PDB file of all heavy atoms in Angstrom:
ATOM      1  N   PHE P 818     -14.000  46.431  32.789  1.00  0.00           N
ATOM      2  CA  PHE P 818     -14.429  45.521  33.833  1.00  0.00           C
ATOM      3  C   PHE P 818     -14.870  46.357  34.983  1.00  0.00           C
ATOM      4  O   PHE P 818     -14.273  47.428  35.515  1.00  0.00           O
ATOM      5  CB  PHE P 818     -13.237  44.654  34.294  1.00  0.00           C
ATOM      6  CG  PHE P 818     -13.018  43.420  33.389  1.00  0.00           C
ATOM      7  CD1 PHE P 818     -11.863  42.720  33.490  1.00  0.00           C
ATOM      8  CD2 PHE P 818     -13.929  43.034  32.459  1.00  0.00           C
ATOM      9  CE1 PHE P 818     -11.648  41.583  32.773  1.00  0.00           C
ATOM     10  CE2 PHE P 818     -13.739  41.903  31.700  1.00  0.00           C
ATOM     11  CZ  PHE P 818     -12.560  41.149  31.740  1.00  0.00           C
ATOM     12  N   TYR P 819     -15.946  45.890  35.679  1.00  0.00           N
ATOM     13  CA  TYR P 819     -16.476  46.552  36.870  1.00  0.00           C
ATOM     14  C   TYR P 819     -16.659  45.452  37.951  1.00  0.00           C
ATOM     15  O   TYR P 819     -17.362  44.522  37.758  1.00  0.00           O
ATOM     16  CB  TYR P 819     -17.831  47.294  36.472  1.00  0.00           C
ATOM     17  CG  TYR P 819     -17.760  48.224  35.459  1.00  0.00           C
ATOM     18  CD1 TYR P 819     -17.877  47.904  34.066  1.00  0.00           C
ATOM     19  CD2 TYR P 819     -17.583  49.667  35.715  1.00  0.00           C
ATOM     20  CE1 TYR P 819     -17.815  48.868  33.036  1.00  0.00           C
ATOM     21  CE2 TYR P 819     -17.476  50.596  34.625  1.00  0.00           C
ATOM     22  CZ  TYR P 819     -17.691  50.152  33.377  1.00  0.00           C
ATOM     23  OH  TYR P 819     -17.654  51.071  32.347  1.00  0.00           O
ATOM     24  N   TYR P 820     -16.175  45.762  39.149  1.00  0.00           N
ATOM     25  CA  TYR P 820     -16.341  44.922  40.254  1.00  0.00           C
ATOM     26  C   TYR P 820     -17.105  45.581  41.372  1.00  0.00           C
ATOM     27  O   TYR P 820     -16.712  46.859  41.717  1.00  0.00           O
ATOM     28  CB  TYR P 820     -14.990  44.452  40.794  1.00  0.00           C
ATOM     29  CG  TYR P 820     -14.108  43.660  39.878  1.00  0.00           C
ATOM     30  CD1 TYR P 820     -13.423  44.372  38.928  1.00  0.00           C
ATOM     31  CD2 TYR P 820     -13.903  42.358  39.911  1.00  0.00           C
ATOM     32  CE1 TYR P 820     -12.578  43.709  38.028  1.00  0.00           C
ATOM     33  CE2 TYR P 820     -13.033  41.594  39.045  1.00  0.00           C
ATOM     34  CZ  TYR P 820     -12.404  42.325  38.119  1.00  0.00           C
ATOM     35  OH  TYR P 820     -11.586  41.681  37.187  1.00  0.00           O
ATOM     36  N   LEU P 821     -18.068  45.046  41.933  1.00  0.00           N
ATOM     37  CA  LEU P 821     -18.742  45.631  43.169  1.00  0.00           C
ATOM     38  C   LEU P 821     -18.851  44.539  44.269  1.00  0.00           C
ATOM     39  O   LEU P 821     -19.510  43.584  44.028  1.00  0.00           O
ATOM     40  CB  LEU P 821     -20.102  46.145  42.651  1.00  0.00           C
ATOM     41  CG  LEU P 821     -20.978  46.597  43.842  1.00  0.00           C
ATOM     42  CD1 LEU P 821     -20.293  47.743  44.646  1.00  0.00           C
ATOM     43  CD2 LEU P 821     -22.372  47.207  43.241  1.00  0.00           C
ATOM     44  N   PHE P 822     -18.226  44.900  45.489  1.00  0.00           N
ATOM     45  CA  PHE P 822     -18.360  44.020  46.616  1.00  0.00           C
ATOM     46  C   PHE P 822     -19.500  44.467  47.452  1.00  0.00           C
ATOM     47  O   PHE P 822     -19.524  45.624  47.804  1.00  0.00           O
ATOM     48  CB  PHE P 822     -16.953  43.919  47.275  1.00  0.00           C
ATOM     49  CG  PHE P 822     -15.877  43.420  46.453  1.00  0.00           C
ATOM     50  CD1 PHE P 822     -15.226  44.226  45.561  1.00  0.00           C
ATOM     51  CD2 PHE P 822     -15.597  42.052  46.575  1.00  0.00           C
ATOM     52  CE1 PHE P 822     -14.121  43.641  44.811  1.00  0.00           C
ATOM     53  CE2 PHE P 822     -14.537  41.468  45.827  1.00  0.00           C
ATOM     54  CZ  PHE P 822     -13.836  42.373  44.967  1.00  0.00           C
ATOM     55  N   GLY P 823     -20.327  43.516  47.777  1.00  0.00           N
ATOM     56  CA  GLY P 823     -21.517  43.842  48.570  1.00  0.00           C
ATOM     57  C   GLY P 823     -21.189  44.053  49.899  1.00  0.00           C
ATOM     58  O   GLY P 823     -20.026  43.861  50.403  1.00  0.00           O
ATOM     59  N   LYS P 824     -22.228  44.284  50.754  1.00  0.00           N
ATOM     60  CA  LYS P 824     -22.019  44.546  52.220  1.00  0.00           C
ATOM     61  C   LYS P 824     -21.717  43.182  52.845  1.00  0.00           C
ATOM     62  O   LYS P 824     -22.379  42.102  52.646  1.00  0.00           O
ATOM     63  CB  LYS P 824     -23.380  45.015  52.731  1.00  0.00           C
ATOM     64  CG  LYS P 824     -23.296  45.294  54.210  1.00  0.00           C
ATOM     65  CD  LYS P 824     -24.646  45.989  54.671  1.00  0.00           C
ATOM     66  CE  LYS P 824     -24.655  46.323  56.235  1.00  0.00           C
ATOM     67  NZ  LYS P 824     -25.945  46.871  56.612  1.00  0.00           N
ATOM     68  N   PRO P 825     -20.621  43.204  53.649  1.00  0.00           N
ATOM     69  CA  PRO P 825     -20.176  41.831  54.259  1.00  0.00           C
ATOM     70  C   PRO P 825     -21.271  41.334  55.146  1.00  0.00           C
ATOM     71  O   PRO P 825     -21.926  42.062  55.912  1.00  0.00           O
ATOM     72  CB  PRO P 825     -18.979  42.344  55.165  1.00  0.00           C
ATOM     73  CG  PRO P 825     -18.433  43.592  54.504  1.00  0.00           C
ATOM     74  CD  PRO P 825     -19.666  44.278  53.951  1.00  0.00           C
ATOM     75  N   ILE P 826     -21.407  39.969  55.089  1.00  0.00           N
ATOM     76  CA  ILE P 826     -22.346  39.290  55.842  1.00  0.00           C
ATOM     77  C   ILE P 826     -21.726  38.458  56.890  1.00  0.00           C
ATOM     78  O   ILE P 826     -20.828  37.529  56.626  1.00  0.00           O
ATOM     79  CB  ILE P 826     -23.191  38.335  54.933  1.00  0.00           C
ATOM     80  CG1 ILE P 826     -23.861  39.185  53.865  1.00  0.00           C
ATOM     81  CG2 ILE P 826     -24.136  37.539  55.776  1.00  0.00           C
ATOM     82  CD1 ILE P 826     -24.556  38.280  52.760  1.00  0.00           C
ATOM     83  N   GLU P 827     -22.054  38.775  58.215  1.00  0.00           N
ATOM     84  CA  GLU P 827     -21.262  38.051  59.336  1.00  0.00           C
ATOM     85  C   GLU P 827     -22.078  36.842  59.591  1.00  0.00           C
ATOM     86  O   GLU P 827     -23.293  36.697  59.527  1.00  0.00           O
ATOM     87  CB  GLU P 827     -21.345  38.943  60.603  1.00  0.00           C
ATOM     88  CG  GLU P 827     -20.609  40.295  60.399  1.00  0.00           C
ATOM     89  CD  GLU P 827     -19.082  40.100  60.267  1.00  0.00           C
ATOM     90  OE1 GLU P 827     -18.601  38.971  60.646  1.00  0.00           O
ATOM     91  OE2 GLU P 827     -18.351  41.039  59.896  1.00  0.00           O
ATOM     92  N   THR P 828     -21.328  35.681  59.824  1.00  0.00           N
ATOM     93  CA  THR P 828     -21.935  34.550  60.180  1.00  0.00           C
ATOM     94  C   THR P 828     -21.616  34.125  61.628  1.00  0.00           C
ATOM     95  O   THR P 828     -22.289  33.248  62.272  1.00  0.00           O
ATOM     96  CB  THR P 828     -21.384  33.231  59.426  1.00  0.00           C
ATOM     97  OG1 THR P 828     -19.910  33.224  59.682  1.00  0.00           O
ATOM     98  CG2 THR P 828     -21.562  33.534  57.926  1.00  0.00           C
ATOM     99  N   LYS P 829     -20.681  34.812  62.260  1.00  0.00           N
ATOM    100  CA  LYS P 829     -20.328  34.620  63.728  1.00  0.00           C
ATOM    101  C   LYS P 829     -21.567  34.933  64.588  1.00  0.00           C
ATOM    102  O   LYS P 829     -22.194  36.002  64.526  1.00  0.00           O
ATOM    103  CB  LYS P 829     -19.158  35.434  64.085  1.00  0.00           C
ATOM    104  CG  LYS P 829     -18.507  35.054  65.441  1.00  0.00           C
ATOM    105  CD  LYS P 829     -17.309  35.886  65.694  1.00  0.00           C
ATOM    106  CE  LYS P 829     -16.660  35.455  66.992  1.00  0.00           C
ATOM    107  NZ  LYS P 829     -15.478  36.250  67.216  1.00  0.00           N
TER     108      LYS P 829
END
Side-chain angles (χ1 to χ4, degrees):
F818 279 167
Y819 302 86
Y820 301 78
L821 174 55
F822 295 86
K824 186 176 179 180
I826 300 173
E827 299 290 344
T828 63
K829 191 173 183 179

